Amino acid sequence: MPEQHPTSPVRTAVRRLRAPLVAVAAASALVTLAACSAPGSGSDSGSAANATPTAVNTAVADTPATLTLFSAAGLQTYEQGLADAFMAKYPKIKVKLRVEADNNYNTVLPRLLASDSTPDLVQPYDLLGGVKDNLLTNLDAYDKAYGWSSKVPASALAPGRVSNGAVGGGSLYQAGGSAGPLVGVFYNKELAAKVGMKTVPASIADLEAVMARAKESGITPIVASNQDGLIGHLYNLLLGDYMGAEKLSDIVYHQPGATLDTPEAVKATETLQKWIKAGYFASDVNAINQEASYGQFTGGKGLFFFQGSWITQTIDKNFKGKYGVFPMPPATEDGAYACMTSNTLAFSIAARSKNKDAAALFLNFLTTPEAAKVAVKNGYAALTSGTAAPAKPSLSGTLTEQIQAGYAAIAADNGFDSWLQNAAPAVNTKLTQQLQLLVSGKVEPAAMVKSLQSTYADALKSS
């Protein structure tokens, strides 16, 4: 089954639960909660349908309340863990899960948000639609009160911001901590030793040098599957490197004027083409699917595997201890890290919630070490306040430590972005097609970029 890219709780539920080895990265010291207004003057005392509260109250920990969290079934264990940890810290506030089958979540959620029995906390699948229909709470006042923007990397909060019908900037509608997969460079330890890779490559050039040595030694440098277009993981990493995380995200978030048709995107595509022509992939990569690629990597058939940390549970079954991971190196040694991720610690508050202040306290809890521990236990990399800074990316240490260090390095460069496929369903389909054509030598980089941009522009016109 082709692996999904993250766009909604339902589409990511299975993948989120498949990433067992991660760790907590650092951002800042835990901020002590302080009341910003007198008790009783916050949003809870106003209209339940107030989508833009201005007077908020952070001194609600000792005020009894019950919150309802709407969860997709695939996330139930994780979100129950968050609820339990929150209630242990704030026993006066109860959190009850309302669970919906994964395949029904996206259909049921909009109706629930518009009803009188709305949940308080949700992970919305359609942020723009929720904001347009006044179903979600504008969190700017809470952001100011709790200081979330100083605790969480801007690139991790960007997917929760909406302005003028586009995601990525403006007011905040989805917030919390930062937890998600690390999409990076998995490597076979034995083969890495054979080709003399003693340190984490510091640039694309360094990575290419290692792959060239592997090829010369008769080792396939890159294991991949492209029957399902999953060379797209590598391609997205290259786009982030050469374009920069923000410009790539602007396309995915439909920011006005955003375009893929740039020299940087062409350079990223040329780099991938160069690796194809150099024989760094198996010759039949277009015929290989995801499951087969897992078997090839764990069977020692290649040095590198560009994948997300969700794969660790699957490949650990017969490959544990034999592989490691580091973040995709920057385009240049002094460049910035960039990586696709999805913030699994981000939630929204329903506009019709009658417990907005208590719900905001829950969002603030997600920036704490206690919430990060729950994320780690459930298989995510987590960035939050109050934790020790991890070491820099290294070939030493446990897999957990390597994922921790990689995730933290990307956060330090504010380098979180998204998958180009998420820009529109048509782009997803076109990209798989174009990647297969690139592998077979039937499209040139500039033409591929123009084709993708044309598909993107047409999708925007019809949306």
Side-chain angles (χ1 to χ4, degrees):
M1 177 178 176
E3 188 171 284
Q4 298 281 1
H5 301 288
T7 53
S8 72
V10 172
R11 289 182 69 188
T12 57
V14 174
R15 201 185 71 176
R16 285 172 176 170
L17 297 176
R18 290 174 56 194
L21 295 176
V22 286
V24 182
S28 61
L30 181 62
V31 177
T32 303
L33 301 185
C36 294
S37 58
S41 64
S43 60
D44 294 343
S45 61
S47 169
N50 177 16
T52 309
T54 54
V56 303
N57 179 20
T58 61
V60 293
D62 293 326
T63 302
T66 298
L67 299 173
T68 301
L69 189 160
F70 187 52
S71 174
L75 299 175
Q76 181 177 0
T77 300
Y78 169 52
E79 293 182 349
Q80 186 62 60
L82 290 174
D84 291 342
F86 175 81
M87 290 186 289
K89 189 178 182 72
Y90 303 110
K92 294 288 184 67
I93 303 176
K94 306 303 179 185
V95 180
K96 295 182 178 180
L97 263 63
R98 179 172 179 175
V99 180
E100 185 63 50
D102 288 345
N103 60 348
N104 291 335
Y105 183 94
N106 290 354
T107 301
V108 172
L109 178 57
R111 296 201 301 265
L112 269 183
L113 288 171
S115 73
D116 290 332
S117 59
T118 183
D120 300 286
L121 295 157
V122 299
Q123 288 185 309
Y125 73 100
D126 180 7
L127 195 65
L128 288 175
V131 172
K132 179 181 178 181
D133 294 336
N134 292 317
L135 298 177
L136 303 177
T137 299
N138 183 314
L139 300 173
D140 285 350
Y142 291 111
D143 182 16
K144 182 178 180 180
Y146 284 109
W148 295 329
S149 293
S150 65
K151 298 181 189 180
V152 181
S155 56
L157 287 176
R161 295 189 182 278
V162 175
S163 177
N164 296 321
V167 174
S171 291
L172 191 67
Y173 288 89
Q174 193 174 28
S178 176
L182 169 69
V183 182
V185 189
F186 286 81
Y187 64 94
N188 179 310
K189 289 183 177 180
E190 181 181 353
L191 297 183
K194 283 185 178 180
V195 300
M197 189 178 79
K198 298 180 180 179
T199 60
V200 171
S203 66
I204 292 297
D206 287 350
L207 188 67
E208 287 180 338
V210 175
M211 291 193 290
R213 294 200 301 270
K215 180 67 176 175
E216 291 169 0
S217 302
I219 299 168
T220 299
I222 304 172
V223 173
S225 67
N226 208 39
Q227 184 187 91
D228 39 28
L230 290 185
I231 282 182
H233 290 318
L234 170 55
Y235 185 55
N236 271 274
L237 289 169
L238 287 169
L239 287 173
D241 267 4
Y242 286 102
M243 295 181 66
E246 184 176 359
K247 288 186 177 180
L248 177 56
S249 294
D250 283 348
I251 296 170
V252 179
Y253 301 150
H254 299 181
Q255 287 295 321
T259 178
L260 185 69
D261 194 2
T262 64
E264 293 78 13
V266 173
K267 177 65 176 177
T269 314
E270 288 173 343
T271 300
L272 179 57
Q273 182 193 53
K274 178 171 66 173
W275 295 357
I276 293 167
K277 289 184 174 182
Y280 291 168
F281 297 89
S283 59
D284 61 346
V285 66
N286 270 352
I288 298 172
N289 63 22
Q290 177 182 272
E291 184 177 355
S293 70
Y294 286 1
Q296 289 187 352
F297 184 60
T298 59
K301 302 299 183 181
L303 173 59
F304 292 138
F305 196 30
F306 294 83
Q307 268 284 2
S309 54
W310 57 82
I311 71 168
T312 54
Q313 185 175 13
T314 300
I315 67 176
D316 261 359
K317 292 177 181 178
N318 57 355
F319 206 50
K320 188 173 183 179
K322 298 180 180 180
Y323 69 99
V325 65
F326 54 86
M328 181 70 167
T332 59
E333 190 167 346
D334 58 350
Y337 283 104
C339 171
M340 309 85 72
T341 194
S342 55
N343 192 348
T344 62
L345 274 179
F347 289 79
S348 293
I349 300 175
R352 298 179 68 86
S353 168
K354 298 178 182 179
N355 301 289
K356 290 187 176 66
D357 289 336
L361 182 63
F362 182 86
L363 296 186
N364 191 66
F365 170 77
L366 299 179
T367 68
T368 68
E370 294 96 328
K373 289 178 182 178
V374 177
V376 170
K377 184 178 180 180
N378 284 271
Y380 309 123
L383 179 73
T384 190
S385 59
T387 56
K392 293 181 178 180
S394 170
L395 300 186
S396 62
T398 65
L399 184 63
T400 297
E401 291 167 342
Q402 289 181 338
I403 293 175
Q404 171 187 1
Y407 198 79
I410 297 159
D413 284 346
N414 200 28
F416 293 122
D417 55 38
S418 187
W419 280 258
L420 177 63
Q421 291 93 320
N422 288 345
V427 174
N428 187 12
T429 301
K430 176 64 71 171
L431 181 56
T432 297
Q433 175 199 76
Q434 291 293 303
L435 287 170
Q436 291 171 346
L437 291 174
L438 190 70
V439 167
S440 60
K442 296 179 179 179
V443 68
E444 289 300 313
M448 175 174 165
V449 168
K450 288 184 181 298
S451 177
L452 290 169
Q453 172 59 29
S454 177
T455 301
Y456 172 69
D458 289 344
L460 290 185
K461 291 176 184 177
S462 60
S463 62

